[in-house]
């Protein structure tokens, strides 16, 4: 089953820029398709392997932070080729 996931990480501490950069680099080094914009990162792939990857990536990031929020939106389908129609 293909999924599309939008992620936004919001560390609740000083020095947050490097923490976000490290997380995005982890996502970029994955075998999944990644699209980025200034507000979030989208990742696309098969549900189970993608969720297993994200579980580990988020846990590693959490281990390096005092307090952090991760917002995640999941869609059941691969929306990586979405084109606006207007």
């Amino acid at each position: 089953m293909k999924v599309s996931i939008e992620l936004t990480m919001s560390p609740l501490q000083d020095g947050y820029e490097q923490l976000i950069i490290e997380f995005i680099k982890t996502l970029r080094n994955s075998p999944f398709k990644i699209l980025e914009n200034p507000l979030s990162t989208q990742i696309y792939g098969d549900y189970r392997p993608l969720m297993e990857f994200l579980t580990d990536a988020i846990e590693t990031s959490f281990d390096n932070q005092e307090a952090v929020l991760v917002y995640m939106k999941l869609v059941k389908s691969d929306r990586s080729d979405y084109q606006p129609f207007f």
Side-chain angles (χ1 to χ4, degrees), residues 7-13 16 20 39 65 67-71:
L7 298 165
T8 303
M9 177 176 280
S10 300
L12 303 174
Q13 63 190 63
Y16 62 88
I20 294 171
L39 300 176
Q65 300 187 55
V68 59
L69 298 173
V70 174
Y71 300 93

Side-chain angles (χ1 to χ4, degrees), residues 11-66:
L12 303 174
Q13 63 190 63
D14 292 335
Y16 62 88
E17 295 93 348
Q18 191 58 41
L19 299 168
I20 294 171
I21 289 168
E22 290 171 11
F23 184 67
I24 291 172
K25 285 182 177 180
T26 298
L27 298 178
R28 287 179 181 167
N29 288 325
S30 75
F32 304 102
K33 183 172 184 178
I34 304 292
L35 297 176
E36 300 172 27
N37 67 52
L39 300 176
S40 66
T41 302
Q42 293 82 42
I43 188 167
Y44 306 90
D46 288 318
Y47 176 78
R48 189 163 302 277
L50 180 49
M51 292 304 290
E52 289 171 0
F53 166 77
L54 285 176
T55 297
D56 292 341
I58 292 169
E59 181 177 16
T60 299
S61 185
F62 279 10
D63 286 343
N64 296 318
Q65 300 187 55
E66 294 175 27

